Every structure is written in C-alpha cells, then in structure tokens.
C-alpha cells in the first residue's frame, strides 16, 4: 500500500488531504505539533508528534513510519499579520522557519529515502499570498514565493532521480487558518465577488488538487505550481475602473 506523509495534518487543509489520501487507498502518516486536535475520523492514521523546524523530530517520524513515503505533503504553516515596520527579526524568522526552511528540510530528509527507490512525489503547499503579496503578510509572502522557487529547484535536482515535486497555491479558502476571517458573512460576500468563479475555495478543492498532482494522471507534471483560486490571481484587469 502506498504511504502518504502529511505535515500539519490534524486540522484544516492537511486533515482534509489526509482524508482524501485514505480514500485514494494510501496509508497515512501525519506529523504535527500535538495530537490533541486529531479528529475522530483520522484516529487510525499513524501520528508523529514533531515540529518541521526540528530535523530530529522529522527524522524520527520518517524512521518510525515503517516504509519510505510515496507522497510527502508539506502542508504545515503559520501566518501572522503585522506591518513590516513593527516586525522583529525573530517574528520574521519564525514564519520563514516553518513555511520555508521546514518544508525544505522535510523534503530533503524524505528525498534521501525516496531517491534510492527511484520514485516519489512531493507536494508543497504555497499560497496566492506568495504570488500577489499584500501588506502585513511580510515573511509569509516571502516564504511561500521561496517555496515555489524551491519546488522548481527540487524538480531540477531530483526529477532525474525519479521524483516529482510540485506545489499547490490555494487562494481564498473558507477553512483552515482562514476560518475565523469568514465568520462575518459580509466579508465572504465582498471577497467572493472578486473571484471569477464567484465563490471562496474549500479545503476539499485543495485536497483534490494535491491528490491529482500525486497521482499517475500527473506523471509528466514536475516543478509546477498549480494555482487553485477560482481565477483570483488572473482577475487584475477587471478591478481597473473603465
Ligand atoms: N486556509 C487558507 O486560507 C490557506 C490559503 C493559502 C495557503 N494556505 C496554506 O495551507 C497550509 C495549511 O493551512 P491551514 O489553513 O490548514 O492552516 P491550519 O492553521 O488550520 O493548519 C496548519 C497546521 O500546521 C501545523 N503546524 C504549524 N506549525 C507547525 C510546525 N512547526 N511543525 C509541524 N506542524 C505545524 C498546525 O499545528 C496545524 O495543524 C499552510 O501551509 C497555509 O499556509 C492556507
């Protein structure tokens, strides 16, 4: 049975991806900071308590899951909002450490194990916030754009060794870390109208994209950032007054 390793997989987009992976026939291993929030329907998956910024905990998970993963989803992430002028070096580095450095470390540690086998797929969760930056997102935007660049580099270096490395860039998703933003129906309405598809995205929109990139149907897709945003990032000219 194929094995999927998902970081930050106890809630939000990661948990939904874990469900989709189980439904697609994968065995699933999740690494997250704490097991407190593992939902009832994911109680059966292998859980590893760890932190993507601490390599020893990632190594322990990879050594403990009993097989080399076929799919790694670098989903763990945090976002913080504050004006750059108030952002300390420590604030900035924390966001980079989890969203960028952590994802690269997990990828490298997994690739060390996948390369001798000659196969494996890595999907990095980036963000449209890395494509169109917005004030207050400082290191998040830099980390996600950096992870998109690292996705290309990993494909260049590990593609010839049998691996595929792609990314999914979610747009405005009603779920996960954005759930509370959309508690206000007026915010939902205002934002939805800026999206060509006229709706916010769902956790399942993202999980579907991840599973497609991981599947054999995407066997010739490598180094690609798949934007899943209902057309939001292609909508600039319709915002211009005529
Ligand atoms: N929800 C959105 O609107 C949205 C939009 C674009 C991109 N994303 C990206 O999708 C991914 C998942 O986000 P989400 O919305 O499900 O967020 P979430 O906050 O619901 O879940 C994030 C998960 O990552 C885990 N995590 C955080 N730091 C970690 C660390 N150091 N080590 C291990 N695990 C850690 C958390 O414990 C949590 O389980 C993130 O990379 C995020 O940047 C989300």
């Amino acid at each position: 049975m194929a094995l999927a390793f998902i970081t930050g997989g106890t809630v939000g987009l990661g948990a939904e991806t874990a469900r989709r992976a189980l439904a697609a026939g994968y065995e699933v291993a999740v690494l997250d900071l704490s097991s407190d929030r593992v939902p009832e329907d994911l109680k059966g998956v292998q859980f590893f308590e760890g932190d993507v910024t601490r390599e020893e905990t990632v190594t322990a998970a990879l050594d403990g899951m009993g097989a080399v993963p076929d799919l790694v989803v670098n989903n763990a992430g945090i976002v913080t909002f504050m004006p750059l002028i108030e952002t300390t070096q420590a604030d900035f580095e924390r966001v980079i450490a989890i969203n960028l450095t952590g994802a690269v470390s997990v990828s490298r540690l997994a690739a060390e194990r996948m390369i001798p086998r000659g196969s494996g797929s890595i999907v990095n969760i980036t963000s449209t916030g890395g494509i169109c930056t917005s004030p207050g997102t400082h290191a998040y935007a830099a980390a996600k754009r950096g992870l998109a660049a690292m996705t290309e580099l990993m494909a260049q270096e590990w593609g010839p060794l049998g691996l595929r490395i792609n990314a999914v860039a979610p747009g405005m998703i009603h779920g996960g870390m954005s759930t509370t933003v959309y508690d206000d129906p007026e915010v939902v309405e205002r934002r939805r109208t800026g999206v060509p598809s006229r709706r916010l995205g769902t956790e399942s929109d993202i999980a579907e994209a991840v599973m497609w990139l991981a599947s054999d149907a995407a066997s010739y897709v490598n180094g690609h950032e798949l934007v899943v945003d209902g057309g939001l990032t292609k909508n600039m000219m319709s915002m211009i007054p005529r």
Side-chain angles (χ1 to χ4, degrees):
M1 190 186 271
L3 173 63
F5 177 39
I6 303 169
T7 66
T10 63
V11 296
L13 277 53
E16 188 59 20
T17 304
R19 291 185 189 99
R20 294 290 161 137
L22 286 171
Y26 284 85
E27 196 181 324
V28 173
V30 162
L31 176 136
D32 210 320
L33 297 173
S34 153
S35 60
D36 293 351
R37 295 193 291 172
V38 178
E40 242 355 274
D41 62 341
L42 293 181
K43 286 269 173 356
V45 308
Q46 291 194 65
F47 178 81
F48 296 92
E49 197 166 275
D51 182 330
V52 295
T53 67
R54 292 183 49 219
E55 279 199 358
E56 69 280 13
T57 67
V58 177
T59 299
L62 284 163
D63 287 345
M65 59 187 69
V68 174
D70 299 275
L71 166 63
V72 173
V73 185
N74 281 304
N75 166 82
I78 60 164
V79 67
T80 57
F81 299 96
M82 68 181 82
L84 183 57
I85 202 78
E86 293 168 18
T87 306
T88 66
Q89 185 171 341
D91 296 331
F92 195 87
E93 285 179 345
R94 173 93 187 122
V95 175
I96 295 283
I98 296 171
N99 293 289
L100 177 57
T101 317
V104 172
S105 299
V106 170
S107 299
R108 183 173 40 75
L109 292 167
E112 280 171 6
R113 291 157 172 80
M114 291 166 155
I115 286 168
R117 185 185 56 199
S119 69
S121 174
I122 298 174
V123 180
N124 296 317
I125 307 301
T126 56
S127 173
T128 54
I131 297 168
C132 302
T133 60
S134 57
T137 58
H138 59 89
Y140 185 76
K144 294 301 192 182
R145 193 176 291 190
L147 188 54
M150 289 305 297
T151 301
E152 295 173 14
L153 182 140
M154 289 181 215
Q156 289 159 3
E157 294 201 1
W158 303 336
L161 305 172
L163 273 55
R164 290 191 304 111
I165 302 89
N166 292 292
V168 171
M172 295 191 291
I173 306 301
H174 195 163
M177 58 173 59
S178 303
T179 304
T180 53
V181 175
Y182 300 117
D183 282 348
D184 181 348
E186 278 184 27
V187 175
V188 174
E189 190 52 25
R190 276 203 304 275
R191 291 202 171 185
R192 161 188 102 70
T193 53
V195 181
S197 292
R198 290 293 185 268
R199 69 171 177 87
L200 300 178
T202 63
E203 293 174 352
S204 129
D205 288 323
I206 304 310
E208 285 291 347
V210 171
M211 296 316 297
W212 179 75
L213 280 172
S215 75
D216 288 345
S219 65
Y220 201 51
V221 182
N222 211 345
H224 182 64
E225 184 179 35
L226 177 58
V227 178
V228 182
D229 70 346
L232 175 68
T233 50
K234 302 293 182 201
N235 201 27
M236 189 185 80
M237 289 313 287
S238 69
M239 312 276 185
I240 305 294
R242 302 261 172 194

